Amino acid sequence: MALATAAAFVVAGSGVQATAAQPAGASTEPPVPNLTWSDCQGGFECANADVPLDYRDPQGRTITLAVIRKKASDQGRKKGTLFLQPGGPGNSGVDFVRNNYADLPAALRDSFDVFGYDVRGVARSSQVECWDDATYTKAIREAKGAPGPEAYDNAVRQGAEFDQACQDRAGELRPYVGTGYVARDIDLLRQALGEDRLTYYGRSFGSYIGTVYAAMFPERVRALVLDGAYDPEHYANHPYAYDRPQYLALDGAMSRFLDWCEADQATCGFGDGDPRAAFEKLKADLDANPVPTAGGGQANGYTVVYRLMFNINEGKVIWPSLGEALRKAQQRDTTSFLLRPPSPASYDFLNPNIVVECVDKDYPRNPARLKRQVTTNARLAPLLGPALAYGPPLYDHQHATTCAQWTGDKPSRYDGSFRAEGSAPILVLGTTGDPDTPYQDAIALSRQLDNGRLLTFRAEGHTAFGRSACATDAVTSYLVDGKVPARGTTCADETQPPSSTPKTAPAGTTLGELRNGVNERLDRIGTLR
């Protein structure tokens, strides 16, 4: 019988390729990608990697992933390749490597080729889009910082509309963007790079990707750092139990910031002695009378909540900047970064953020339970929770109203176990005041792992590496030499609030809003080195 000719074509606008059927008896193992590197400026090399679209058909259609690396200066002494995985889901791994390489400790740059890639459905790797920019802009413009009684029903309606848009515009790709398939992609990339075992740093959602990789391929782990860790069992299989602590953590961080404002009015400058009341009044005032912004946009109470949700991740060092920005918002001063509406760069992040998590998570399809959970979250987190719970499809806190209505096959979802039995030691980092990935999640993950070790950072803000010299040194030593911190290791060296609003980024923070104008989810490691 004549062998079938391998014919490939690109599906328009997707980067997904289809290949002819393989002959009977063909290998069921997916082929290892062939990486052809080319210079992409700044000493970086870039390439494309073709991996199976659906691992149930490993020889079939493929999707092309964009990858990047920067080689260690002394190739004769390097220890291997370090995978860097950003947060999200939705952030570009290519940009993460390019933007953070120079700030990595010298020991990491000397010891490893530093590697990253855009995961399937993100950025250069077939970006998934359900809502276009105009639809997102309209929905966010109509959202409220202090929602009214009709807000829940509106949120459910918008979730259904987002789901339908995903079926219409991304139906070919959306079943295959789950983290189980992402982990399989990483294992093919590991082989393509000639690595026997994986060396990996993942922050925020990148920690969940690393967790799933370790669970699926425990014997292939050399060293994994999971920073800002997820409770994987709750995230994947009990998402309501995952969501509530995240609401409480975010509102807790906002509450502690307002407590500081009340205690240090001279530095904060917001609230006139009662910052909580001032914050509630600000949201309501801006909802009732939005501020016109550049390009015909507008900012209201929801805009302020959206910006606070991401920027409070910087920790105490940004508190004076937040106080100044809130005071300017009171004055309707559009130089306040809290009055800058999300841009299309945000929507590029938010679309895959929702799609990936709707594939990964198993929300019960029970409308009564959905309403009970969402309304309770809003009630228990009164500062920021209502705007997020009843807002349009957005970030982690607002996925339930969309994902509980999700339909279709989820072959790329991974549901456990998460023990990673037999793996090398895995380092888990948790920050006690983390607004995004609650500290108790890091504790839970370290206990679920067969060979996990927890390092605690006593601080406000999201993640630890680069924000704490103590944690950064521990991570570096572990990645380079495999030295695991002693049990119970705690770092307590967070940068404290400056006495005035900083104009440049202090050590341990990026102060993205101040340095870059508007933080559109530019994922940055801190700059202690």
Side-chain angles (χ1 to χ4, degrees):
M1 181 179 70
L3 296 179
T5 302
F9 62 93
V10 177
V11 178
S14 71
V16 177
Q17 294 184 347
T19 55
Q22 297 296 309
S27 171
T28 58
E29 292 297 316
V32 176
N34 179 31
L35 302 179
T36 302
W37 297 98
S38 61
D39 177 78
C40 54
Q41 301 182 334
F44 295 96
E45 297 177 315
C46 294
N48 290 322
D50 292 334
V51 298
L53 174 66
D54 184 353
Y55 278 91
R56 297 173 301 181
D57 184 15
Q59 298 289 331
R61 302 171 68 187
T62 63
I63 186 170
T64 300
L65 309 178
V67 306
I68 191 171
R69 74 177 177 187
K70 192 164 187 177
K71 289 185 174 181
S73 55
D74 187 346
Q75 290 290 294
R77 298 179 61 185
K78 77 169 186 177
K79 293 180 177 286
T81 299
L82 170 61
F83 280 61
L84 293 186
Q85 197 74 47
N91 280 316
S92 163
V94 170
D95 293 344
F96 189 60
V97 168
R98 192 180 287 277
N99 292 332
N100 289 287
Y101 180 84
D103 291 327
L104 293 175
L108 295 182
R109 290 183 277 117
D110 292 343
S111 298
F112 299 101
D113 294 345
V114 178
F115 174 88
Y117 81 108
D118 291 349
V119 303
R120 49 178 63 214
V122 171
R124 303 163 187 84
S125 298
S126 299
Q127 169 79 43
V128 66
E129 182 182 83
C130 300
W131 272 4
D132 60 21
D133 295 347
T135 305
Y136 247 130
T137 297
K138 181 177 184 295
I140 287 176
R141 183 170 181 152
E142 294 173 352
K144 302 296 183 184
E150 76 291 344
Y152 174 77
D153 291 339
N154 189 52
V156 173
R157 176 184 58 79
Q158 288 185 320
E161 291 173 354
F162 188 91
D163 289 344
Q164 186 60 53
C166 287
Q167 293 180 48
D168 294 342
R169 305 187 68 192
E172 185 174 60
L173 180 57
R174 72 175 195 153
Y176 310 115
V177 298
T179 302
Y181 278 13
V182 171
R184 292 184 182 278
D185 293 342
I186 289 175
D187 201 56
L188 286 181
L189 293 170
R190 173 193 62 80
Q191 296 173 66
L193 293 165
E195 299 293 323
D196 291 333
R197 295 189 298 163
L198 183 71
T199 303
Y200 177 99
Y201 169 84
R203 72 193 304 263
S204 198
F205 187 75
S207 74
Y208 180 68
I209 293 174
T211 298
V212 173
Y213 181 88
M216 294 176 67
F217 307 104
E219 74 285 357
R220 299 172 194 172
V221 170
R222 176 188 171 271
L224 260 68
V225 178
L226 309 177
D227 187 3
Y230 283 39
D231 178 336
E233 180 62 28
H234 278 176
Y235 170 82
N237 299 321
H238 307 283
Y240 286 130
Y242 180 82
D243 289 349
R244 181 152 304 156
Q246 197 170 25
Y247 272 90
L248 297 175
L250 178 63
D251 237 51
M254 185 66 189
S255 181
R256 292 187 293 274
F257 160 70
L258 292 175
D259 287 344
W260 170 81
C261 270
E262 184 173 358
D264 191 355
Q265 275 285 293
T267 304
C268 176
F270 171 73
D272 194 24
D274 191 351
R276 275 180 168 74
F279 182 62
E280 294 302 326
K281 185 175 187 300
L282 175 63
K283 288 186 293 182
D285 288 349
L286 290 172
D287 283 345
N289 190 13
V291 177
T293 60
Q298 67 176 32
N300 64 7
Y302 187 83
T303 313
V304 171
V305 170
Y306 177 89
R307 289 292 174 203
L308 284 168
M309 174 175 61
F310 291 123
N311 282 280
I312 205 165
N313 282 346
E314 297 285 359
K316 289 182 180 179
V317 73
I318 202 175
W319 283 1
S321 303
L322 293 179
E324 181 184 57
L326 285 166
R327 187 172 66 254
K328 286 183 175 180
Q330 282 180 315
Q331 299 164 353
R332 304 174 65 82
D333 180 348
T334 55
T335 64
S336 170
F337 59 73
L338 297 179
L339 294 181
R340 293 177 181 169
S343 77
S346 292
Y347 309 148
D348 289 345
F349 164 78
L350 294 172
N351 267 295
N353 182 271
I354 299 163
V355 175
V356 170
E357 295 210 356
C358 284
V359 172
D360 275 350
K361 294 178 175 181
D362 185 24
Y363 278 95
R365 294 180 62 82
N366 182 317
R369 186 174 181 186
L370 172 66
K371 185 172 185 177
R372 184 169 62 251
Q373 294 290 335
V374 170
T375 55
T376 301
N377 289 341
R379 176 175 55 83
L380 294 177
L383 293 169
L384 305 179
L388 299 173
Y390 303 139
L394 194 73
Y395 187 54
D396 295 6
H397 312 78
Q398 210 280 314
H399 287 168
T401 49
T402 302
C403 296
Q405 303 183 75
W406 200 258
T407 58
D409 194 17
K410 298 181 177 184
S412 56
R413 169 176 137 79
Y414 182 79
D415 61 2
S417 116
F418 297 97
R419 284 187 59 189
E421 185 175 3
S423 76
I426 295 172
L427 180 58
V428 179
L429 274 63
T431 302
T432 54
D434 197 316
D436 204 339
T437 52
Y439 175 62
Q440 60 261 40
D441 279 22
I443 296 174
L445 174 59
S446 68
R447 291 173 176 171
Q448 288 177 51
L449 289 169
D450 190 56
N451 202 2
R453 180 67 56 86
L454 176 66
L455 183 150
T456 296
F457 180 33
R458 294 200 176 280
E460 300 293 329
H462 186 39
T463 68
F465 181 71
R467 299 182 56 236
S468 158
C470 167
T472 301
D473 289 344
V475 167
T476 301
S477 177
Y478 165 72
L479 289 173
V480 174
D481 298 319
K483 182 180 178 181
V484 182
R487 294 189 184 279
T489 296
T490 298
C491 298
D493 55 344
E494 180 186 9
T495 303
Q496 296 302 301
S499 58
S500 61
T501 302
K503 302 304 179 186
T504 58
T509 183
T510 63
L511 284 186
E513 294 286 7
L514 298 180
R515 187 170 63 189
N516 302 309
V518 181
N519 181 2
E520 301 293 6
R521 293 298 297 166
L522 176 65
D523 209 7
R524 293 297 299 263
I525 293 172
T527 54
L528 290 173
R529 295 291 187 270

